[in-house]
Amino acid sequence: MSRRDEDDDALDIFRVLRDEGRHQVAEVTAAGAAWLSSASGHPRSTLAQWESRPTAPGVLPCGSVFDVVNVPSMFGRRMLDRLWAEGPGSGPVAIHRGRMLLFAAPGTAQRLPSLLEWEEWHGPDAAVPPLLCHGAGDAVTVPALVRPEPENSGAARWLVAPDTRRPWLPGPDVLLWACVRAARNEAGEGHRISIFPRADQDASVYDVSRRR
């Protein structure tokens, strides 16, 4: 078989990702893949690798295109509830090894820890778990471009996938607000609408039209 025939038979993942006729919350669009690859020192080769292996996760450096705030999954869900119900929404968000990765504006990794230390809101009913902030000099694992198969439920996956070449990214002030609100989420508060599905469902329910 010739190389051309092999190329014709290969899955053109970016043709699939170009289906912009519907919102793709949990799968990366072609524009989103281009944005992610721009964080690499070699965007074209990164895109080529993803095209040949669309189901494989990748590793990208932080600090230039985005920072990442890495939080325990349950606390991250409370943060996202607040960001989407009362705030400006979020940037891309992924789940990896029981942690939630919130993609943030460059510089957030350096600024957010100091803001959390400075804020005088700490107390027994407002505890923020240790956050891992990845910035310049760090790298993170990003999920595959396509949603993992149901039987591979432990694989890294997107909760809010990048779908544009210039996604809005929250800065340290927005994430500080979300941390404070999540930490002060009283157990006895009244009825609250959650953006997350029930435990027995497997669907994301974000109103992506609100994203900046």
Side-chain angles (χ1 to χ4, degrees), residues 77-109:
R77 286 179 178 270
R78 291 201 295 270
M79 289 179 64
L80 283 188
D81 270 344
R82 296 299 182 176
L83 284 168
W84 283 92
E86 304 172 17
S90 72
V93 181
I95 290 286
H96 181 56
R97 293 182 177 176
R99 307 278 297 187
M100 186 173 289
L101 309 180
L102 294 94
F103 285 67
T108 298

PDB file of all heavy atoms in Angstrom, residues 77-109:
ATOM      1  N   ARG A  77     -15.575  20.928  41.455  1.00  0.00           N
ATOM      2  CA  ARG A  77     -16.972  20.953  41.029  1.00  0.00           C
ATOM      3  C   ARG A  77     -17.735  22.079  41.718  1.00  0.00           C
ATOM      4  O   ARG A  77     -18.568  22.743  41.101  1.00  0.00           O
ATOM      5  CB  ARG A  77     -17.631  19.603  41.308  1.00  0.00           C
ATOM      6  CG  ARG A  77     -17.192  18.511  40.343  1.00  0.00           C
ATOM      7  CD  ARG A  77     -17.855  17.179  40.662  1.00  0.00           C
ATOM      8  NE  ARG A  77     -17.456  16.172  39.690  1.00  0.00           N
ATOM      9  CZ  ARG A  77     -18.093  15.923  38.555  1.00  0.00           C
ATOM     10  NH1 ARG A  77     -19.159  16.632  38.245  1.00  0.00           N
ATOM     11  NH2 ARG A  77     -17.673  14.989  37.731  1.00  0.00           N
ATOM     12  N   ARG A  78     -17.440  22.301  42.996  1.00  0.00           N
ATOM     13  CA  ARG A  78     -18.104  23.414  43.693  1.00  0.00           C
ATOM     14  C   ARG A  78     -17.668  24.753  43.103  1.00  0.00           C
ATOM     15  O   ARG A  78     -18.472  25.682  42.974  1.00  0.00           O
ATOM     16  CB  ARG A  78     -17.805  23.343  45.189  1.00  0.00           C
ATOM     17  CG  ARG A  78     -18.450  22.167  45.897  1.00  0.00           C
ATOM     18  CD  ARG A  78     -18.560  22.391  47.392  1.00  0.00           C
ATOM     19  NE  ARG A  78     -17.262  22.474  48.034  1.00  0.00           N
ATOM     20  CZ  ARG A  78     -16.598  21.440  48.527  1.00  0.00           C
ATOM     21  NH1 ARG A  78     -17.109  20.219  48.414  1.00  0.00           N
ATOM     22  NH2 ARG A  78     -15.431  21.611  49.115  1.00  0.00           N
ATOM     23  N   MET A  79     -16.383  24.854  42.747  1.00  0.00           N
ATOM     24  CA  MET A  79     -15.914  26.089  42.103  1.00  0.00           C
ATOM     25  C   MET A  79     -16.642  26.326  40.783  1.00  0.00           C
ATOM     26  O   MET A  79     -17.089  27.446  40.498  1.00  0.00           O
ATOM     27  CB  MET A  79     -14.404  26.023  41.866  1.00  0.00           C
ATOM     28  CG  MET A  79     -13.545  26.124  43.104  1.00  0.00           C
ATOM     29  SD  MET A  79     -11.771  26.001  42.713  1.00  0.00           S
ATOM     30  CE  MET A  79     -11.532  27.488  41.698  1.00  0.00           C
ATOM     31  N   LEU A  80     -16.764  25.272  39.971  1.00  0.00           N
ATOM     32  CA  LEU A  80     -17.430  25.434  38.681  1.00  0.00           C
ATOM     33  C   LEU A  80     -18.903  25.751  38.849  1.00  0.00           C
ATOM     34  O   LEU A  80     -19.477  26.525  38.067  1.00  0.00           O
ATOM     35  CB  LEU A  80     -17.256  24.180  37.837  1.00  0.00           C
ATOM     36  CG  LEU A  80     -15.898  23.983  37.174  1.00  0.00           C
ATOM     37  CD1 LEU A  80     -15.951  22.811  36.217  1.00  0.00           C
ATOM     38  CD2 LEU A  80     -15.433  25.230  36.447  1.00  0.00           C
ATOM     39  N   ASP A  81     -19.551  25.158  39.839  1.00  0.00           N
ATOM     40  CA  ASP A  81     -20.943  25.508  40.113  1.00  0.00           C
ATOM     41  C   ASP A  81     -21.083  27.010  40.310  1.00  0.00           C
ATOM     42  O   ASP A  81     -21.994  27.649  39.777  1.00  0.00           O
ATOM     43  CB  ASP A  81     -21.439  24.781  41.364  1.00  0.00           C
ATOM     44  CG  ASP A  81     -22.053  23.431  41.051  1.00  0.00           C
ATOM     45  OD1 ASP A  81     -22.377  23.186  39.879  1.00  0.00           O
ATOM     46  OD2 ASP A  81     -22.208  22.621  41.979  1.00  0.00           O
ATOM     47  N   ARG A  82     -20.177  27.576  41.102  1.00  0.00           N
ATOM     48  CA  ARG A  82     -20.233  29.017  41.369  1.00  0.00           C
ATOM     49  C   ARG A  82     -19.882  29.830  40.125  1.00  0.00           C
ATOM     50  O   ARG A  82     -20.538  30.833  39.821  1.00  0.00           O
ATOM     51  CB  ARG A  82     -19.269  29.365  42.512  1.00  0.00           C
ATOM     52  CG  ARG A  82     -19.640  28.738  43.837  1.00  0.00           C
ATOM     53  CD  ARG A  82     -20.994  29.196  44.306  1.00  0.00           C
ATOM     54  NE  ARG A  82     -21.340  28.638  45.601  1.00  0.00           N
ATOM     55  CZ  ARG A  82     -22.443  28.948  46.263  1.00  0.00           C
ATOM     56  NH1 ARG A  82     -23.313  29.793  45.741  1.00  0.00           N
ATOM     57  NH2 ARG A  82     -22.692  28.400  47.435  1.00  0.00           N
ATOM     58  N   LEU A  83     -18.861  29.411  39.413  1.00  0.00           N
ATOM     59  CA  LEU A  83     -18.448  30.164  38.228  1.00  0.00           C
ATOM     60  C   LEU A  83     -19.553  30.225  37.179  1.00  0.00           C
ATOM     61  O   LEU A  83     -19.747  31.258  36.527  1.00  0.00           O
ATOM     62  CB  LEU A  83     -17.193  29.535  37.620  1.00  0.00           C
ATOM     63  CG  LEU A  83     -15.878  29.807  38.348  1.00  0.00           C
ATOM     64  CD1 LEU A  83     -14.783  28.888  37.819  1.00  0.00           C
ATOM     65  CD2 LEU A  83     -15.467  31.265  38.184  1.00  0.00           C
ATOM     66  N   TRP A  84     -20.285  29.127  37.001  1.00  0.00           N
ATOM     67  CA  TRP A  84     -21.308  29.082  35.963  1.00  0.00           C
ATOM     68  C   TRP A  84     -22.659  29.584  36.439  1.00  0.00           C
ATOM     69  O   TRP A  84     -23.435  30.118  35.647  1.00  0.00           O
ATOM     70  CB  TRP A  84     -21.427  27.667  35.412  1.00  0.00           C
ATOM     71  CG  TRP A  84     -20.303  27.338  34.479  1.00  0.00           C
ATOM     72  CD1 TRP A  84     -19.112  26.753  34.800  1.00  0.00           C
ATOM     73  CD2 TRP A  84     -20.241  27.615  33.082  1.00  0.00           C
ATOM     74  NE1 TRP A  84     -18.312  26.647  33.685  1.00  0.00           N
ATOM     75  CE2 TRP A  84     -18.988  27.160  32.620  1.00  0.00           C
ATOM     76  CE3 TRP A  84     -21.127  28.190  32.176  1.00  0.00           C
ATOM     77  CZ2 TRP A  84     -18.604  27.266  31.284  1.00  0.00           C
ATOM     78  CZ3 TRP A  84     -20.740  28.286  30.858  1.00  0.00           C
ATOM     79  CH2 TRP A  84     -19.490  27.838  30.422  1.00  0.00           C
ATOM     80  N   ALA A  85     -22.970  29.420  37.728  1.00  0.00           N
ATOM     81  CA  ALA A  85     -24.270  29.859  38.225  1.00  0.00           C
ATOM     82  C   ALA A  85     -24.281  31.341  38.583  1.00  0.00           C
ATOM     83  O   ALA A  85     -25.290  32.025  38.402  1.00  0.00           O
ATOM     84  CB  ALA A  85     -24.674  29.029  39.451  1.00  0.00           C
ATOM     85  N   GLU A  86     -23.156  31.868  39.080  1.00  0.00           N
ATOM     86  CA  GLU A  86     -23.131  33.235  39.590  1.00  0.00           C
ATOM     87  C   GLU A  86     -22.037  34.094  38.972  1.00  0.00           C
ATOM     88  O   GLU A  86     -22.038  35.305  39.171  1.00  0.00           O
ATOM     89  CB  GLU A  86     -22.931  33.223  41.116  1.00  0.00           C
ATOM     90  CG  GLU A  86     -23.956  32.402  41.872  1.00  0.00           C
ATOM     91  CD  GLU A  86     -23.591  32.260  43.343  1.00  0.00           C
ATOM     92  OE1 GLU A  86     -22.747  33.050  43.818  1.00  0.00           O
ATOM     93  OE2 GLU A  86     -24.134  31.372  44.000  1.00  0.00           O
ATOM     94  N   GLY A  87     -21.112  33.482  38.268  1.00  0.00           N
ATOM     95  CA  GLY A  87     -19.974  34.225  37.754  1.00  0.00           C
ATOM     96  C   GLY A  87     -19.911  34.258  36.237  1.00  0.00           C
ATOM     97  O   GLY A  87     -20.927  34.059  35.556  1.00  0.00           O
ATOM     98  N   PRO A  88     -18.715  34.465  35.683  1.00  0.00           N
ATOM     99  CA  PRO A  88     -18.558  34.652  34.236  1.00  0.00           C
ATOM    100  C   PRO A  88     -18.400  33.356  33.457  1.00  0.00           C
ATOM    101  O   PRO A  88     -18.154  33.396  32.256  1.00  0.00           O
ATOM    102  CB  PRO A  88     -17.272  35.480  34.156  1.00  0.00           C
ATOM    103  CG  PRO A  88     -16.464  35.010  35.324  1.00  0.00           C
ATOM    104  CD  PRO A  88     -17.463  34.728  36.419  1.00  0.00           C
ATOM    105  N   GLY A  89     -18.526  32.198  34.100  1.00  0.00           N
ATOM    106  CA  GLY A  89     -18.245  30.941  33.423  1.00  0.00           C
ATOM    107  C   GLY A  89     -16.785  30.573  33.624  1.00  0.00           C
ATOM    108  O   GLY A  89     -16.100  31.113  34.498  1.00  0.00           O
ATOM    109  N   SER A  90     -16.301  29.663  32.817  1.00  0.00           N
ATOM    110  CA  SER A  90     -14.922  29.204  32.968  1.00  0.00           C
ATOM    111  C   SER A  90     -14.256  29.110  31.609  1.00  0.00           C
ATOM    112  O   SER A  90     -14.904  29.215  30.566  1.00  0.00           O
ATOM    113  CB  SER A  90     -14.896  27.819  33.640  1.00  0.00           C
ATOM    114  OG  SER A  90     -15.363  26.827  32.739  1.00  0.00           O
ATOM    115  N   GLY A  91     -12.962  28.895  31.633  1.00  0.00           N
ATOM    116  CA  GLY A  91     -12.242  28.510  30.443  1.00  0.00           C
ATOM    117  C   GLY A  91     -12.309  26.999  30.306  1.00  0.00           C
ATOM    118  O   GLY A  91     -13.134  26.345  30.949  1.00  0.00           O
ATOM    119  N   PRO A  92     -11.442  26.406  29.506  1.00  0.00           N
ATOM    120  CA  PRO A  92     -11.411  24.950  29.410  1.00  0.00           C
ATOM    121  C   PRO A  92     -11.138  24.299  30.764  1.00  0.00           C
ATOM    122  O   PRO A  92     -10.402  24.848  31.597  1.00  0.00           O
ATOM    123  CB  PRO A  92     -10.257  24.692  28.430  1.00  0.00           C
ATOM    124  CG  PRO A  92     -10.199  25.933  27.596  1.00  0.00           C
ATOM    125  CD  PRO A  92     -10.529  27.043  28.536  1.00  0.00           C
ATOM    126  N   VAL A  93     -11.746  23.150  30.978  1.00  0.00           N
ATOM    127  CA  VAL A  93     -11.603  22.411  32.239  1.00  0.00           C
ATOM    128  C   VAL A  93     -11.470  20.935  31.914  1.00  0.00           C
ATOM    129  O   VAL A  93     -12.214  20.400  31.079  1.00  0.00           O
ATOM    130  CB  VAL A  93     -12.816  22.626  33.167  1.00  0.00           C
ATOM    131  CG1 VAL A  93     -12.632  21.864  34.479  1.00  0.00           C
ATOM    132  CG2 VAL A  93     -13.039  24.111  33.448  1.00  0.00           C
ATOM    133  N   ALA A  94     -10.519  20.264  32.584  1.00  0.00           N
ATOM    134  CA  ALA A  94     -10.305  18.835  32.360  1.00  0.00           C
ATOM    135  C   ALA A  94     -10.268  18.095  33.689  1.00  0.00           C
ATOM    136  O   ALA A  94     -10.058  18.694  34.754  1.00  0.00           O
ATOM    137  CB  ALA A  94      -9.003  18.602  31.598  1.00  0.00           C
ATOM    138  N   ILE A  95     -10.484  16.782  33.619  1.00  0.00           N
ATOM    139  CA  ILE A  95     -10.367  15.890  34.769  1.00  0.00           C
ATOM    140  C   ILE A  95      -9.215  14.927  34.491  1.00  0.00           C
ATOM    141  O   ILE A  95      -9.129  14.339  33.413  1.00  0.00           O
ATOM    142  CB  ILE A  95     -11.660  15.084  34.986  1.00  0.00           C
ATOM    143  CG1 ILE A  95     -12.786  15.991  35.468  1.00  0.00           C
ATOM    144  CG2 ILE A  95     -11.440  13.959  35.978  1.00  0.00           C
ATOM    145  CD1 ILE A  95     -12.647  16.428  36.909  1.00  0.00           C
ATOM    146  N   HIS A  96      -8.320  14.775  35.481  1.00  0.00           N
ATOM    147  CA  HIS A  96      -7.188  13.862  35.315  1.00  0.00           C
ATOM    148  C   HIS A  96      -6.776  13.320  36.672  1.00  0.00           C
ATOM    149  O   HIS A  96      -6.435  14.077  37.582  1.00  0.00           O
ATOM    150  CB  HIS A  96      -6.013  14.595  34.663  1.00  0.00           C
ATOM    151  CG  HIS A  96      -4.803  13.732  34.429  1.00  0.00           C
ATOM    152  ND1 HIS A  96      -4.851  12.561  33.700  1.00  0.00           N
ATOM    153  CD2 HIS A  96      -3.510  13.870  34.819  1.00  0.00           C
ATOM    154  CE1 HIS A  96      -3.643  12.022  33.640  1.00  0.00           C
ATOM    155  NE2 HIS A  96      -2.817  12.793  34.323  1.00  0.00           N
ATOM    156  N   ARG A  97      -6.869  11.983  36.840  1.00  0.00           N
ATOM    157  CA  ARG A  97      -6.427  11.295  38.054  1.00  0.00           C
ATOM    158  C   ARG A  97      -7.079  11.867  39.311  1.00  0.00           C
ATOM    159  O   ARG A  97      -6.409  12.130  40.319  1.00  0.00           O
ATOM    160  CB  ARG A  97      -4.908  11.349  38.175  1.00  0.00           C
ATOM    161  CG  ARG A  97      -4.182  10.554  37.093  1.00  0.00           C
ATOM    162  CD  ARG A  97      -2.687  10.584  37.275  1.00  0.00           C
ATOM    163  NE  ARG A  97      -2.009   9.757  36.271  1.00  0.00           N
ATOM    164  CZ  ARG A  97      -0.690   9.662  36.162  1.00  0.00           C
ATOM    165  NH1 ARG A  97       0.089  10.343  36.990  1.00  0.00           N
ATOM    166  NH2 ARG A  97      -0.156   8.882  35.236  1.00  0.00           N
ATOM    167  N   GLY A  98      -8.365  12.061  39.264  1.00  0.00           N
ATOM    168  CA  GLY A  98      -9.086  12.536  40.431  1.00  0.00           C
ATOM    169  C   GLY A  98      -8.898  14.004  40.750  1.00  0.00           C
ATOM    170  O   GLY A  98      -9.324  14.468  41.809  1.00  0.00           O
ATOM    171  N   ARG A  99      -8.276  14.737  39.861  1.00  0.00           N
ATOM    172  CA  ARG A  99      -8.064  16.173  40.045  1.00  0.00           C
ATOM    173  C   ARG A  99      -8.744  16.917  38.901  1.00  0.00           C
ATOM    174  O   ARG A  99      -8.950  16.381  37.816  1.00  0.00           O
ATOM    175  CB  ARG A  99      -6.568  16.509  40.035  1.00  0.00           C
ATOM    176  CG  ARG A  99      -5.725  15.725  40.999  1.00  0.00           C
ATOM    177  CD  ARG A  99      -5.770  16.271  42.392  1.00  0.00           C
ATOM    178  NE  ARG A  99      -5.227  17.624  42.486  1.00  0.00           N
ATOM    179  CZ  ARG A  99      -5.037  18.266  43.643  1.00  0.00           C
ATOM    180  NH1 ARG A  99      -5.364  17.670  44.791  1.00  0.00           N
ATOM    181  NH2 ARG A  99      -4.553  19.498  43.673  1.00  0.00           N
ATOM    182  N   MET A 100      -9.096  18.164  39.159  1.00  0.00           N
ATOM    183  CA  MET A 100      -9.687  19.007  38.139  1.00  0.00           C
ATOM    184  C   MET A 100      -8.660  20.057  37.716  1.00  0.00           C
ATOM    185  O   MET A 100      -8.034  20.700  38.567  1.00  0.00           O
ATOM    186  CB  MET A 100     -10.953  19.685  38.656  1.00  0.00           C
ATOM    187  CG  MET A 100     -11.703  20.469  37.611  1.00  0.00           C
ATOM    188  SD  MET A 100     -13.308  21.082  38.213  1.00  0.00           S
ATOM    189  CE  MET A 100     -14.220  19.537  38.308  1.00  0.00           C
ATOM    190  N   LEU A 101      -8.484  20.199  36.411  1.00  0.00           N
ATOM    191  CA  LEU A 101      -7.539  21.160  35.860  1.00  0.00           C
ATOM    192  C   LEU A 101      -8.308  22.321  35.255  1.00  0.00           C
ATOM    193  O   LEU A 101      -9.010  22.156  34.253  1.00  0.00           O
ATOM    194  CB  LEU A 101      -6.668  20.503  34.781  1.00  0.00           C
ATOM    195  CG  LEU A 101      -5.978  19.183  35.153  1.00  0.00           C
ATOM    196  CD1 LEU A 101      -5.151  18.680  33.976  1.00  0.00           C
ATOM    197  CD2 LEU A 101      -5.107  19.353  36.379  1.00  0.00           C
ATOM    198  N   LEU A 102      -8.194  23.500  35.872  1.00  0.00           N
ATOM    199  CA  LEU A 102      -8.855  24.702  35.377  1.00  0.00           C
ATOM    200  C   LEU A 102      -7.826  25.533  34.621  1.00  0.00           C
ATOM    201  O   LEU A 102      -6.848  26.008  35.211  1.00  0.00           O
ATOM    202  CB  LEU A 102      -9.460  25.512  36.521  1.00  0.00           C
ATOM    203  CG  LEU A 102     -10.621  24.859  37.269  1.00  0.00           C
ATOM    204  CD1 LEU A 102     -10.099  24.124  38.503  1.00  0.00           C
ATOM    205  CD2 LEU A 102     -11.652  25.896  37.687  1.00  0.00           C
ATOM    206  N   PHE A 103      -8.046  25.695  33.323  1.00  0.00           N
ATOM    207  CA  PHE A 103      -7.130  26.476  32.501  1.00  0.00           C
ATOM    208  C   PHE A 103      -7.375  27.958  32.771  1.00  0.00           C
ATOM    209  O   PHE A 103      -8.513  28.428  32.728  1.00  0.00           O
ATOM    210  CB  PHE A 103      -7.320  26.136  31.032  1.00  0.00           C
ATOM    211  CG  PHE A 103      -6.744  24.802  30.656  1.00  0.00           C
ATOM    212  CD1 PHE A 103      -7.297  23.627  31.152  1.00  0.00           C
ATOM    213  CD2 PHE A 103      -5.639  24.724  29.823  1.00  0.00           C
ATOM    214  CE1 PHE A 103      -6.756  22.388  30.820  1.00  0.00           C
ATOM    215  CE2 PHE A 103      -5.088  23.484  29.487  1.00  0.00           C
ATOM    216  CZ  PHE A 103      -5.648  22.324  29.988  1.00  0.00           C
ATOM    217  N   ALA A 104      -6.289  28.672  33.055  1.00  0.00           N
ATOM    218  CA  ALA A 104      -6.386  30.059  33.508  1.00  0.00           C
ATOM    219  C   ALA A 104      -5.443  30.939  32.701  1.00  0.00           C
ATOM    220  O   ALA A 104      -4.580  30.454  31.949  1.00  0.00           O
ATOM    221  CB  ALA A 104      -6.057  30.142  34.997  1.00  0.00           C
ATOM    222  N   ALA A 105      -5.603  32.251  32.878  1.00  0.00           N
ATOM    223  CA  ALA A 105      -4.755  33.206  32.167  1.00  0.00           C
ATOM    224  C   ALA A 105      -3.305  33.070  32.625  1.00  0.00           C
ATOM    225  O   ALA A 105      -3.043  32.780  33.800  1.00  0.00           O
ATOM    226  CB  ALA A 105      -5.260  34.632  32.416  1.00  0.00           C
ATOM    227  N   PRO A 106      -2.345  33.258  31.723  1.00  0.00           N
ATOM    228  CA  PRO A 106      -0.931  33.213  32.126  1.00  0.00           C
ATOM    229  C   PRO A 106      -0.672  34.194  33.272  1.00  0.00           C
ATOM    230  O   PRO A 106      -1.181  35.313  33.284  1.00  0.00           O
ATOM    231  CB  PRO A 106      -0.193  33.625  30.851  1.00  0.00           C
ATOM    232  CG  PRO A 106      -1.106  33.226  29.731  1.00  0.00           C
ATOM    233  CD  PRO A 106      -2.485  33.473  30.261  1.00  0.00           C
ATOM    234  N   GLY A 107       0.126  33.757  34.232  1.00  0.00           N
ATOM    235  CA  GLY A 107       0.415  34.573  35.407  1.00  0.00           C
ATOM    236  C   GLY A 107      -0.414  34.196  36.612  1.00  0.00           C
ATOM    237  O   GLY A 107      -0.084  34.569  37.747  1.00  0.00           O
ATOM    238  N   THR A 108      -1.511  33.465  36.394  1.00  0.00           N
ATOM    239  CA  THR A 108      -2.382  33.070  37.500  1.00  0.00           C
ATOM    240  C   THR A 108      -1.660  32.191  38.505  1.00  0.00           C
ATOM    241  O   THR A 108      -1.850  32.323  39.717  1.00  0.00           O
ATOM    242  CB  THR A 108      -3.620  32.328  36.962  1.00  0.00           C
ATOM    243  OG1 THR A 108      -4.360  33.212  36.106  1.00  0.00           O
ATOM    244  CG2 THR A 108      -4.522  31.864  38.092  1.00  0.00           C
ATOM    245  N   ALA A 109      -0.829  31.275  38.022  1.00  0.00           N
ATOM    246  CA  ALA A 109      -0.139  30.340  38.918  1.00  0.00           C
ATOM    247  C   ALA A 109       0.759  31.058  39.914  1.00  0.00           C
ATOM    248  O   ALA A 109       0.949  30.602  41.033  1.00  0.00           O
ATOM    249  CB  ALA A 109       0.682  29.348  38.097  1.00  0.00           C
TER     250      ALA A 109
END
